[in-house]
Amino acid sequence: MQGNEACVYAAIDCGARFYAGYPITPSSEIAELSAKYLPKVNGIYLQMEDELGSIAAIIGASAAGKKSFTATSGPGFSLMQENLGMAIYAEVPCVIINVQRNGPSTGLATRPGQGDVMQARWGTHGDHPIIVLSPSSVQECYDLTIRAFNLSEKYRIPVILLSDEVIGHMRESLTIPEVEDLIIINRKLPLVPAQGFKPYTPEEDLVPAIPPFGTGYIVHISSSCHDESGYSHNAPQTADNLVRRLHKKIEANQEDIVQVEWFGPEDAELTIIAYGVISRTAKQVVINAQANGLSVNLLRLITHWPFPDEQVTQALKKARAVLIPELNLGQVVQEVHRLNSFNTPVYQLSRIDGEIILPSQIMQKVEEVLK
Amino acid sequence: MSGYTFKSYLEKSQLPHMWCPGCGDGIILRAYTEALAELCLAPQEVVTVTGIGCWGKADDYLGTHAFHGTHGRALAFATGIKLGNPDLTVVALMGDGDAVTIGGNHFIHAARRNINLTAIVTNNYNYGMTGGQYSATTPLEGKTTTSPNGTAEPGFDLCFLAEAAGANFVARTTCYHAVALKNMIKEAISHQGFSLVEVVSSCPTYFGRFNVHPSPVKMLNWLKDKAVPVQKYREMSAAEQAEHFAVSTLVNKNRPDFYTTYKRINRPDQSAKGEE
Ligand code: SF4
């Protein structure tokens, strides 16, 4: 099946029952399949008038207790940014699948791109944390969609699945586990009495137990600066506490959230850092390099954000050089530079013409670097 | 009787409110909470969704569930909330900026889909919160801080817009007519499908000061004189109509709401299933 399809099966398997979206290439299969299957499980597919409304509707449905998701691509993702910030600030779980295409603007609508790495991190205004995951196979479209919902429910934060046109449309076989065998995390509910309840009181893990609308608890959700009651509150200390806690609940759990894959020999001379479709190219290069007696390994980023600082630092420390091929003009490269206090040479390989980077192109660069 | 009064829905610790003396918002909040009391709705059954602006602050004073979202998107959030839990009574409080200027797209589509919720739109003909700029309902040549010589744009008629888009229930009154307003809100909430109550309201601080009079009392009298019952309005000449607006129930239909229709068409046992 296709990567886009796998996302829908995963969403339904882990209990998502509400989808709102606006069709856009190359993500539309997610909408189509959701429209077909959600009614079978008493869920709802809603086609909104635009992406501003789509993300608003999934945030609303989630606040009312339904696990909710949407899918889009670059232009639509741009329109979602304001309300994405609202969901982060008001701590409403939801999953946004962005099947990246070449940009900016309408760009090459049917061609792959990886230009939204920074938009996913910094697209909405103000200081905020975010979780972004990057699948590189159809199997991972399934697995990481489940994981996206789990992390979203656990930490009460929107999670972005940053796929791309190739991964979304590629067909591969995959294993779908029995639903009983899946690890499914649902948002926690309050254990305190409804009288005097303050929905935004953080628990030990810094995550508040906010019940959905319609239980005995009164819930006040606000996009304005709010205190633990959820009502707006303008004191400087309230503003400071809230945003710092939002960051801390993610930072304190990096170990749980950040995932990478190492591939190839452990102590390679050159480490390639890649993700999404290009990590597949890079894997082939690692195999080819080995056959040619070149010492190359791959650090594949599964979690984009929070950035795998620890693992990338390790790569910079150990390898003689690091190479980052990506379908943009160097969005992950910047992060690698930020961590490079070792003077390790960092090489960049960019492609922004709507074509993927071929193994031969990476190989050529590897040979240049290692010669 | 339920024992609920308007006070059952207010969060007293948040009062006094921030609205200017003479603002219509307080009257509308009172009518809304009285309507909830008379409908015997528990605060736990009601979600009040607000936008951004003076009227968008209303959730601060309410003890129902509340969702205070982003500017213009109240109806999109409300749509998700209602479909997420159809048992909830969902009421969206918006100003003219929220409802039909920045949020006009959601307004027409929520009406077209006939989502089973109520929109209470306070129309004060300008953006009060940001300092009295013109909105999409400011009348032609209306003076605001961004149209010092009068705006060159005509204003929307919210009720026509909602009717044309397919709303089931559409009614208009003013903040002068407090009792009629309360009854209208009750009817709107009880009505299946998308219901709109437009409350032509008074902003003495800006629109009133620039166009009518800065006195709240004079503003209320002005609203009283402008508002004519729909029957009488229909008998007026075009010139007279231009100086007035029609009040009372303007649309009352029984088209099935979105959720009912969706469930009828998409039954879980529908045969469209099939493995790829
Ligand atoms: S600015 Fe106008 S609308 Fe806003 S609170 Fe004052 S009178 Fe009311």
Side-chain angles (χ1 to χ4, degrees):
Chain A
M1 90 172 51
Q2 279 191 334
N4 280 349
E5 292 176 278
C7 292
V8 178
Y9 287 105
I12 290 177
D13 284 352
C14 74
R17 292 295 177 268
F18 187 84
Y19 178 101
Y22 189 86
I24 183 169
T25 303
S27 75
S28 298
E29 296 80 12
I30 300 177
E32 290 166 6
L33 210 63
S34 298
K36 187 171 168 187
Y37 283 118
L38 276 169
K40 315 279 176 214
V41 292
N42 265 312
I44 289 183
Y45 168 86
L46 181 65
Q47 198 158 297
M48 287 298 281
E49 46 275 14
D50 55 32
E51 288 87 348
L52 294 89
S54 303
I55 185 166
I58 67 164
I59 294 167
S62 177
K66 290 281 187 301
K67 283 190 182 176
S68 306
F69 67 119
T70 187
T72 189
S73 189
F77 191 53
S78 295
L79 290 180
M80 292 182 180
Q81 293 301 329
E82 184 192 14
N83 284 335
L84 179 64
M86 196 270 158
I88 296 167
Y89 200 46
E91 298 177 76
V92 184
C94 56
V95 170
I96 297 131
I97 303 168
N98 175 358
V99 188
Q100 293 173 96
R101 67 192 217 188
N102 173 283
S105 195
T106 306
L108 298 168
T110 60
R111 307 299 308 163
Q114 295 182 317
D116 297 349
V117 174
M118 283 297 172
Q119 186 183 202
R121 177 64 191 92
W122 294 113
T124 197
H125 64 281
D127 287 301
H128 58 274
I130 191 72
I131 298 176
V132 181
L133 311 178
S134 172
S136 70
S137 65
V138 173
Q139 180 71 53
E140 230 173 28
C141 284
Y142 183 91
D143 297 343
L144 291 186
T145 299
I146 302 264
R147 186 166 161 75
F149 275 101
N150 282 347
L151 293 172
S152 181
E153 294 281 314
K154 186 172 180 183
Y155 296 110
R156 296 200 64 106
I157 186 170
V159 175
I160 295 156
L161 188 77
L162 202 56
S163 181
D164 59 62
E165 189 277 331
V166 175
I167 301 298
H169 285 156
M170 184 172 69
R171 286 182 189 277
E172 279 181 329
S173 57
L174 80 165
T175 309
I176 295 185
E178 294 296 324
V179 175
E180 307 83 73
D181 296 336
L182 289 171
I183 295 168
I184 294 171
I185 300 174
N186 293 317
R187 63 191 84 169
K188 58 187 177 181
L189 295 170
L191 299 166
V192 297
Q195 195 65 32
F197 174 67
K198 291 187 171 169
Y200 285 87
T201 308
E203 300 196 331
E204 218 171 297
D205 59 357
L206 300 176
V207 182
I210 307 169
F213 292 136
T215 69
Y217 297 91
I218 292 288
V219 177
H220 201 107
I221 294 178
S222 181
S223 66
S224 294
C225 179
H226 46 275
D227 63 15
E228 294 183 355
S229 69
Y231 283 80
S232 63
H233 198 259
N234 289 340
Q237 198 57 53
T238 307
D240 188 272
N241 287 351
L242 173 54
V243 177
R244 286 189 197 279
R245 177 177 63 75
L246 294 178
H247 280 86
K248 255 185 235 150
K249 75 176 177 183
I250 301 305
E251 280 162 17
N253 292 293
Q254 295 256 355
E255 248 178 73
D256 182 37
I257 298 167
V258 172
Q259 282 187 332
V260 299
E261 184 201 358
W262 288 97
F263 180 80
E266 207 177 307
D267 292 308
E269 279 182 67
L270 175 84
T271 296
I272 302 173
I273 300 176
Y275 51 93
V277 54
I278 301 306
S279 67
R280 298 174 71 96
T281 308
K283 259 189 191 171
Q284 192 56 52
V285 171
V286 170
I287 294 165
N288 296 352
Q290 224 159 355
N292 293 347
L294 293 169
S295 170
V296 180
N297 66 5
L298 166 70
L299 171 60
R300 180 168 75 87
L301 309 184
I302 301 172
T303 307
H304 256 302
W305 305 106
F307 198 71
D309 279 14
E310 204 188 301
Q311 294 82 346
V312 170
T313 304
Q314 206 184 327
L316 286 163
K317 218 171 171 174
K318 282 170 78 176
R320 214 180 82 198
V322 166
L323 168 63
I324 300 124
E326 47 185 342
L327 298 183
N328 57 53
L329 289 178
Q331 298 195 14
V332 162
V333 168
Q334 293 179 34
E335 290 300 300
V336 176
H337 280 308
R338 172 176 64 81
L339 297 165
N340 190 6
S341 46
F342 312 98
N343 283 326
T344 308
V346 173
Y347 297 90
Q348 165 181 355
L349 184 56
S350 289
R351 191 154 189 185
I352 52 163
D353 60 355
E355 301 296 324
I356 62 165
I357 300 174
L358 300 171
S360 56
Q361 290 174 301
I362 300 182
M363 199 56 179
Q364 197 187 340
K365 194 85 185 173
V366 166
E367 281 164 357
E368 265 173 50
V369 171
L370 289 181
K371 78 165 182 269
Chain B
M1 280 310 288
S2 62
Y4 291 123
T5 69
F6 75 95
K7 287 184 183 158
S8 313
Y9 308 92
L10 291 177
E11 180 51 49
K12 286 160 215 84
S13 64
Q14 302 287 324
L15 295 168
H17 61 64
M18 51 74 74
W19 296 315
C20 305
C23 176
D25 288 351
I27 301 169
I28 307 167
L29 190 67
R30 169 82 183 236
Y32 171 50
T33 49
E34 278 185 342
L36 294 178
E38 290 184 17
L39 290 169
C40 300
L41 289 163
Q44 291 86 346
E45 296 175 78
V46 179
V47 185
T48 307
V49 184
T50 55
I52 302 288
C54 295
W55 184 223
K57 296 290 281 180
D59 64 281
D60 274 353
Y61 316 121
L62 286 167
T64 65
H65 294 296
F67 190 103
H68 176 65
T70 48
H71 192 38
R73 316 297 156 212
L75 284 173
F77 289 116
T79 296
I81 293 167
K82 183 66 189 179
L83 297 177
N85 181 355
D87 293 336
L88 294 165
T89 296
V90 179
V91 181
L93 309 181
M94 298 168 287
D96 41 294
D98 262 315
V100 293
T101 314
I102 188 170
N105 206 18
H106 309 306
F107 183 82
I108 55 173
H109 288 284
R112 175 181 64 83
R113 287 188 191 103
N114 208 17
I115 303 291
N116 187 15
L117 54 81
T118 300
I120 303 176
V121 179
T122 291
N123 180 6
N124 62 11
Y125 300 125
N126 77 135
Y127 294 120
M129 179 69 93
T130 46
Q133 299 83 9
Y134 67 89
S135 78
T137 63
T138 306
L140 184 67
E141 297 193 41
K143 290 194 171 57
T144 68
T145 50
T146 46
S147 58
N149 303 317
T151 169
E153 303 178 20
F156 263 137
D157 181 321
L158 261 74
C159 291
F160 278 168
L161 192 60
E163 179 180 6
N168 250 8
F169 180 88
V170 178
R172 183 194 284 127
T173 188
T174 80
C175 63
Y176 174 86
H177 303 86
V179 177
L181 170 59
K182 177 201 68 185
N183 290 329
M184 222 171 243
I185 294 173
K186 274 172 70 179
E187 216 183 323
I189 291 175
S190 307
H191 203 98
Q192 278 274 316
F194 185 85
S195 301
L196 167 70
V197 176
E198 177 188 351
V199 196
V200 184
S201 185
S202 126
C203 172
T205 304
Y206 295 113
F207 191 80
R209 179 156 55 100
F210 299 140
N211 297 279
V212 186
H213 203 281
S215 147
V217 178
K218 291 217 165 108
M219 270 303 287
L220 282 175
N221 280 323
W222 179 77
L223 288 173
K224 183 184 77 169
D225 294 341
K226 285 257 168 193
V228 291
V230 62
Q231 288 308 334
K232 193 172 156 201
Y233 182 83
R234 287 194 182 124
E235 288 157 15
M236 284 178 151
S237 68
E240 280 177 313
Q241 281 185 346
E243 292 301 310
H244 296 86
F245 51 81
V247 291
S248 70
T249 302
L250 306 173
V251 176
N252 192 340
K253 290 188 299 196
N254 284 304
R255 204 158 58 89
D257 72 281
F258 170 84
Y259 185 73
T260 307
T261 308
Y262 186 87
K263 285 286 171 186
R264 175 176 63 75
I265 295 172
N266 297 287
R267 294 189 315 277
D269 57 356
Q270 201 89 344
S271 60
K273 189 157 181 157
E275 293 311 309
E276 305 295 296

